[in-house]
Every structure is written in C-alpha cells, then in structure tokens.
DNA sequence: CCGGAATAGTTGACGCGTCATCGAAGTTCA
DNA sequence: TGAACTTCGATGACGCGTCAACTATTCCGG
C-alpha cells in the first residue's frame, strides 16, 4: 500500500524540487559566466584551499567532497587540462597521487568567490529571516542524518 | 565589499548543499535501479500524465517543466528511442510537434511512482515534523519568488 | 504579395556524472 | 615467499544539460 504524499507534503516537495532546480541552474550559470568556473570546479577549489599548502590524496579529497572517486578523477583531469590543479606522484604509496592547487587555481577561486557569495545572498539569504535560516539548517541536518542512516 | 555569509548562514548553506547533493544522488540512483528511469524521465512522464490524453506541444511541456527547449528536445529523443514517448506532427503549425505518452511510458511511470514516493518519504518526510515541512514549503516559495524577480 | 523578423524545434559540440572495469601496487596469511 | 585479496586511481562508454547555431515555418509591415 503506497503511502502517497499528503497535500502539505506535496506542497513542500514540489516547492523544494523547483527551488533546487532553479537555484542550481541560476548559480551555476552565473558562476560560469562570471568566472569560467563550474559549480564542481568551485567545490574542488574550496576543498583544496581549506587545506592550503598540504598535499592532498585523491581519495581524501573525494571523501571531503563526498564524491565518487571516478567522478573526482574525471574532474581532476579536466581541471588539470585547464591548469587549475596538478597531480603529483606519491612516494609512500606508488598507487596513489597527490593533488595540489596551482597559482592559477588559487587566483581563480579568489576571483570567483565574492560574486558567487553575492549571488547566493541575493537569491536566497536576503529573502529569508533568521528563523527560516535556522529551520533550513535543521532540516538539512535531519535529512542528512537519515541519508547516512540509510547507508 | 563582499558581504560574506555569517556563521548561521554558512551552517544553513553548507547543510543545504550537502543535503541537496546527497538527496539528488540517492533518489536518482534508486529510481534508476528500481525502474530504469532517470529523474528527468520521471519528470517528463509526470508532466505528461498530468495532461493525460491531450496532445501536448513541446514548448508547452518545456514551460511546465521549466526546462530549456533544447534540453527537452534532446531528452525527448532519448525517451523516444526507448519507446516511452512519441512525437506527432502538428497540423495547425507545421513547425511544431506534439508529444504523447506511449502505453509503455504509462506503464513505466505507474510502475516507478510507488517506490519513488516511498524513497522520498524514507529519506525526507518521515524525519520531519509538520512545522519543518511547512517551513520548507515557505522557504521554497520565498526563494522561487526571488529567483523569478531576478529575471 | 513580398521580404524581414519572430517562433518552433533540432542539432552538434562539449563539459559533467555514473557504472563497470581495469591495471598497478599494497596487504594478509599460509 | 607467494597466492588471494584489497585498495588506489584512471579509463571508456553512455546518458544528461548548456550554449550556439541552424532549418523550417509563420507573422507582419508595406
């Protein structure tokens, strides 16, 4: 017996889906147009600047981003081709590889971040009150918990 | 002067991003594995069943889905190849085309929907109380309004 | 009725994401 | 030590999404 969504749930779900799709599309387009970076590039660069200077192993990065390793591998290849990151050999474990930010990569993220934050603000936070912001954080934490629990 | 996100906003934003990415990935994978349909297929099929029996113009469908016409065109080609939809000539306007659901398309959506709703419930709604559901709906409506306003 | 602009939809190129698979290197244990 | 197993990461194939360009038709002013 399928438990369909009731009216209240349906309103939330359809709204969420629409918001998610539109927000994603807008922010992505804007970032791309402003800076030539994709959303995915941005995430990788943020994760790398979070551990500035360190050599980061590929799987470590994948873990931090919660990405599949093959996705990251493909993406690093594309970013490397554009000069945003480099791969370095790993002496300890010859299977492995380190990823490091290039100067150009650093310049790219520093140039892109302000306009991106501004766009996030404009489309999302400037319209929400403090209660809504907290509610969103709470919802996200709850759902992430359930996802983790679901294995 | 960049207005960076404060701590509360940052918590909400990072949480939202993580939730969104994980939820998307899980639901998509599950739908694909259970029914062979992608999320995008699902959306198209839902939109078509909403106007069951009618002949629907491509741009009308694009409007309903809020998709770009080229995206829809590409996607319809893929779905047509798999026998889920058909294109029909439009007598009124020879430039145009109608899209119709095939019997197989109808079977696919009817078969896929229950498990999908169950997954949505399991990952999201079973963990949220009524206030959170309403808060989510409110947030989505607010943000969608801002997006529309931003043109 | 003609010529230019707008509209419907398709196409091609290219970047992104997943799955399955693979090769090379490390680990475990008899 | 060496055979089975696991882990690291790359790769190929394929579906998805965007942008720009294109074809074919319709609309509209003169």
């Amino acid at each position: 017996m399928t438990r369909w969504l009731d009216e209240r749930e349906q309103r939330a779900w359809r709204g969420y889906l629409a918001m998610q799709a539109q927000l994603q599309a807008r922010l992505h387009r804007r970032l791309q147009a402003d800076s030539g970076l994709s959303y995915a590039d941005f995430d990788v660069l943020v994760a790398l600047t979070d551990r500035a200077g360190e050599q980061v192993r590929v799987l470590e990065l994948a873990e931090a981003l919660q990405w599949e390793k093959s996705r990251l591998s493909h993406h690093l290849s594309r970013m490397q081709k554009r000069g945003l990151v480099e791969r370095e050999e790993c002496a300890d474990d010859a299977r492995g590889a380190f990823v490091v930010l290039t100067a150009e990569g650093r310049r790219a993220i520093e140039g892109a971040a302000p306009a991106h934050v501004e766009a996030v603000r404009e489309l999302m936070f400037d319209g929400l009150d403090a209660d809504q912001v907290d509610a969103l954080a709470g919802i996200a934490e709850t759902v992430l918990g359930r996802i983790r629990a679901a294995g």
Side-chain angles (χ1 to χ4, degrees), chain A residues 3 10-11 13 18 25 36 47 58 69 90 94 98 102 125 131:
Chain A
R3 296 180 300 140
Q10 193 137 162
R11 170 166 163 258
W13 184 242
V58 173
K69 62 188 180 157
C90 174
F98 288 122
T102 62
F125 289 104
D131 286 348

Side-chain angles (χ1 to χ4, degrees), chain A residues 19 23 118-133 136:
Chain A
M19 171 182 79
L23 201 52
E118 195 50 49
V120 169
R121 236 181 213 311
E122 181 187 332
L123 294 180
M124 180 152 224
F125 289 104
D126 284 352
L128 301 181
D129 61 34
D131 286 348
Q132 287 178 304
V133 173
L136 180 60

Side-chain angles (χ1 to χ4, degrees), chain A residues 75-134:
Chain A
H75 205 83
L76 289 175
S77 298
R78 292 186 287 256
M79 291 179 76
Q80 187 168 20
K81 204 162 17 172
R82 291 189 290 142
L84 298 171
V85 300
E86 294 249 323
R87 288 193 242 231
E88 284 180 7
E89 280 192 10
C90 174
D92 299 7
D93 185 341
R95 292 168 303 183
F98 288 122
V99 189
V100 297
L101 205 51
T102 62
E104 192 176 337
R106 187 174 310 283
R107 230 179 301 122
I109 185 69
E110 284 170 359
H116 181 63
V117 173
E118 195 50 49
V120 169
R121 236 181 213 311
E122 181 187 332
L123 294 180
M124 180 152 224
F125 289 104
D126 284 352
L128 301 181
D129 61 34
D131 286 348
Q132 287 178 304
V133 173
D134 288 345

Side-chain angles (χ1 to χ4, degrees), chain A residues 24 27-28 31-32 37-44 116 120:
Chain A
Q24 162 101 354
L27 289 175
H28 190 287
L31 186 61
Q32 184 82 35
L37 296 178
S38 71
Y39 222 94
D41 295 332
F42 193 87
D43 289 348
V44 170
H116 181 63
V120 169

Side-chain angles (χ1 to χ4, degrees), chain A residues 56-65 69 72-73 76 87 96-99:
Chain A
V56 185
R57 287 292 288 271
V58 173
L59 281 194
E60 222 180 326
L61 191 55
E63 175 65 24
L65 290 165
K69 62 188 180 157
L72 182 56
S73 183
L76 289 175
R87 288 193 242 231
F98 288 122
V99 189

